[in-house]
Amino acid sequence: MTRAEQGVTLFVGGFGFLLVLALLTGTLTPSYTLYLAGLTGMYVLLSFGLNAQWGYTGLINFSVAAFFGIGAYATALVTATNSPLSIPGGVLVGLVLAILASAVVAVAIAIPTLRLRSDYLAIASLGLAEVVRQIVLNQRDWTNGSGGLRGIPDVFAGWPVLGELPEQLPGLQFTEYAVGIPGLFRVRVLGFTLDTPFWTDLLNFVVVVVFVVAVYLLLRRVHRSPWGRVLRTIRSDEDLASALGKDTYGFKLQSFVLGSIIMALGGIFYAFLAAYVSPGDLEPINTFYVWIAVILGGSGSNRGAMFGGFVVVAIREGTRFASDILPSQLPVNIPVLVDVYGAIVSDFGSTRLLIVGLLIVLVMRLRPEGVLPPQRELVWPSALEEKDE
Amino acid sequence: MAILELLANGLVFSSIIVLASIGLSLVYSIADFANFAHGDTMAVGAYAALLTFGVLGGVGPTVLALPVGFFIALAVGAAVAALVAVVTHVVVYEPLEVDSIGLLITSIGVAFVYRAIIQLRFGSNPIEFDIPLQRPIEALVPLGVRVTVHDVAIVATAALLVVGLHVLLQYTDLGRKMRATADNPDLARVSGIRTRRVEWWTWIIGAGLAGVGGGFLGLYNQLSPRMGFDILLVVFAAVILGGIGSVYGAMAGGLLIGVINQLMPAISDLAVALPLVPNVGPAYADSVAFLIMVAVLLVRPSGIAGGETT
């Protein structure tokens, strides 16, 4: 392992350890822990999708939130209790709808822009993402507008075995313990019950893990295939690729559609995770969370994308925590600092935006290739083995 | 039909878009990247003007129903926007060792930092300039045009600035250097032009105009931290429509996009009358501006001005 890899492993391991500790001491409830894990899985999926476009082929897509939204809304429209369009069918219909819709939108963005300078795609995709958000917000008769769609059932609701599994699994009750050194500190440990809602959340989590593993294996295969080799050539030198007789436009289109479908998968999962989708989920900031994940992790590297997804959840949910934990006033009285601190602590939404902005600038300045730039991904494994011998 | 009124409104809105798109286009042609922080630079200018106007109050006589203090506030807003842009250029963009796409991504981070700081200081709720609203000009009401004196002030100031920029670009030394740098930076450098200084001036002029545009946008609607981002896509549409990097194209594109944006109610009327025109409400005004841009790209990828720079 390189030093960067060791650092990342240590960071992720340490963070995971903290999460488990928080779970055991009751700071986090079991279902919130699973929610965090599910959210991480979702961001990893979105990052995989963007990585297939930006990391592999160099396509700037600023409409991650739109494809995510298409996936989430397609699922929600089919399954939600207050869906204005009562399309019959369950999860699978939603899945097919989401994949079809995301592919169609991807082609619609790609056709006018992929032949042009690459920054046109950036602007066009951001614009089309806003068009999608406007439609979701304003077409109340299709999407329920700003009210959002609620009452999305569990993933496997109504399925033969998996549908009833959470109810049939036994509830586990953990008695509460108190540990500590007398007179110094006492910590409450365990003392929670794992019953049906927990098993449902666990099943949700298993679904995202299956999605992530399947997509990872697919992308790894795809990236090493001749197809993926062409994509890498396009990214580094498009003129070379076309001089070699490759239809660069076609390859870029395929890569764009592939990535968009993976993003829609993330959205499908999110609909079940949150059981509620609203136009707020399509805000452009969500696109840039995923961008951070990919550029921080290292463009082109799927391991990097996983790490990035992890960091994004830490930023998103961590700032929420920080607002509960940090005192509202600075203990020392330094005039200007007190005001700045007060503003930062009282408005964590803005602080999160500031962190995201600074992180983008700092990564581009200090480590534009990302923390885990692609290394092994770029070569066929047997070549590495030969080298090692 | 109130088409005349919509056109008048379009002209007012266009003035703001033109001010913004010129700056975006200048930076595009000289610094060579799509600056996603341009909209938020407008917001910086607008809020700086708001602060200044709060201090100055309504000092001085009124010109076009606006106290002179407001114009001073606008100038301060432009200066602050220019200063912030130059500092950002020196601290963030210049030391970067990335390509134009990397700069583009960085500018998004910069945009977030601007917006977050504005939000932390002013909160995220909309604010308005403390200037009483004007009644429409009486003489024009019989014609069906309801514009206020403030609207006239916006159009007049924008026209003045655009003419000023034209003179600057065509008849001054700096203008020639800017055109030369935009055309071919390497050739400009070997011909003895200090391109670094030209770049600075580009940021100052571009961000200054954006600051004025932001101030007017605040007067026209209201100020909110998201105001710049919300208008950014319309500005990009104008710039691309005009042809990326062409200042005169940006002016034309801005005028066209602004007018189309305000004509949306007429399009709705048309949709009621004709079966083939889709009836999209004014909520989709920005989306329509944007789809027009995409349609233009399909037919004429280099925009109206055909890819000529500055």
Side-chain angles (χ1 to χ4, degrees), chain A residues 45 75 85 104 116 122 138 144 153 166 199 236 265 273 332 351 372 389:
Chain A
L45 272 180
T75 313
L85 311 172
V104 168
L116 304 169
N138 290 306
N144 206 27
W199 297 124
S236 47
L265 280 183
L273 181 73
V332 284
T351 307
L372 291 177
E389 274 162 14

Side-chain angles (χ1 to χ4, degrees), chain A residues 116 118-119 139 283 350 365, chain B residues 28 91 101 119 226 284 301:
Chain A
L116 304 169
S118 53
D119 37 8
Q139 297 297 336
E283 285 281 339
S350 305
R365 171 75 180 270
Chain B
Y28 222 133
V91 174
I101 300 302
Q119 264 179 28
R226 260 190 77 131
Y284 289 108

Side-chain angles (χ1 to χ4, degrees), chain B residues 1-5 137-146:
Chain B
M1 201 160 63
I3 194 91
L4 213 57
E5 158 148 36
I137 301 170
E138 294 288 341
L140 294 175
V141 173
L143 296 172
V145 178
R146 301 165 66 83

Side-chain angles (χ1 to χ4, degrees), chain B residues 4 19 35 43 57-58 98 127 148 155 158 167 170 186 205 227 236 243 245 252 257 271 289 301:
Chain B
L4 213 57
L19 286 177
N35 179 18
V98 292
I127 317 179
T148 66
V155 176
V167 171
Q170 299 300 332
D186 294 327
I205 296 169
M227 63 191 280
F236 263 124
I257 287 283

Side-chain angles (χ1 to χ4, degrees), chain A residues 43-54:
Chain A
Y43 274 108
V44 170
L45 272 180
L46 295 179
S47 311
F48 278 167
L50 183 60
N51 203 19
Q53 298 174 337
W54 164 246

Side-chain angles (χ1 to χ4, degrees), chain B:
Chain B
M1 201 160 63
I3 194 91
L4 213 57
E5 158 148 36
L6 294 174
L7 280 175
N9 279 340
L11 189 64
V12 179
F13 188 61
S14 292
S15 305
I16 298 169
I17 301 295
V18 166
L19 286 177
S21 52
I22 290 172
L24 189 61
S25 194
L26 269 179
V27 172
Y28 222 133
S29 64
I30 291 184
D32 197 31
F33 73 97
N35 179 18
F36 272 74
H38 194 72
D40 293 274
T41 309
M42 291 175 75
V44 168
Y47 276 89
L50 180 80
L51 265 188
T52 318
F53 190 65
V55 175
L56 290 177
V59 296
T62 52
V63 180
L64 293 169
L66 288 167
V68 168
F70 181 76
F71 290 99
I72 300 174
L74 268 189
V76 173
V80 171
L83 182 73
V84 168
V86 169
V87 169
T88 309
H89 173 63
V90 173
V91 174
V92 179
Y93 300 131
E94 253 187 355
L96 281 184
E97 291 167 11
V98 292
D99 55 0
S100 65
I101 300 302
L103 284 169
L104 188 161
I105 294 170
T106 313
S107 73
I108 290 168
V110 169
F112 285 168
V113 173
Y114 289 175
R115 201 198 309 170
I117 292 173
I118 292 175
Q119 264 179 28
L120 285 171
R121 172 67 182 77
F122 295 93
S124 42
N125 291 329
I127 317 179
E128 281 176 15
F129 283 108
D130 188 16
I131 295 174
L133 288 178
Q134 290 290 304
R135 297 179 59 79
I137 301 170
E138 294 288 341
L140 294 175
V141 173
L143 296 172
V145 178
R146 301 165 66 83
V147 291
T148 66
V149 186
H150 287 172
D151 295 338
V152 176
I154 294 175
V155 176
T157 315
L160 206 70
L161 288 172
V162 166
V163 171
L165 181 73
H166 169 72
V167 171
L168 178 97
L169 281 178
Q170 299 300 332
Y171 302 107
T172 67
D173 197 36
L174 176 65
R176 268 188 289 276
K177 285 177 180 168
M178 284 174 73
R179 284 184 288 139
T181 310
D183 218 30
N184 188 338
D186 294 327
L187 184 61
R189 201 172 300 117
V190 294
S191 328
I193 294 174
R194 292 181 196 151
T195 50
R196 187 152 182 261
R197 198 172 288 178
V198 171
E199 258 182 41
W200 283 40
W201 275 110
T202 308
W203 281 103
I204 290 172
I205 296 169
L209 290 175
V212 176
F216 279 143
L217 188 61
L219 180 70
Y220 183 73
N221 286 327
Q222 47 192 185
L223 296 96
S224 78
R226 260 190 77 131
M227 63 191 280
F229 181 80
D230 286 338
I231 207 170
L232 182 69
L233 279 171
V234 179
V235 177
F236 263 124
V239 170
I240 289 182
L241 199 61
I244 277 187
S246 155
V247 169
Y248 296 101
M251 291 178 193
L255 204 62
L256 206 61
I257 287 283
V259 171
I260 292 168
N261 200 295
Q262 297 294 308
L263 278 179
M264 286 304 293
I267 295 175
S268 284
D269 289 350
L270 211 62
V272 177
L274 298 169
L276 277 179
V277 181
N279 186 8
V280 293
Y284 289 108
D286 292 356
S287 304
V288 169
F290 191 72
L291 292 175
I292 289 171
M293 181 201 89
V294 173
V296 169
L297 284 181
L298 273 172
V299 186
R300 200 175 157 83
S302 48
I304 295 173
E308 283 174 38
T309 47
T310 317

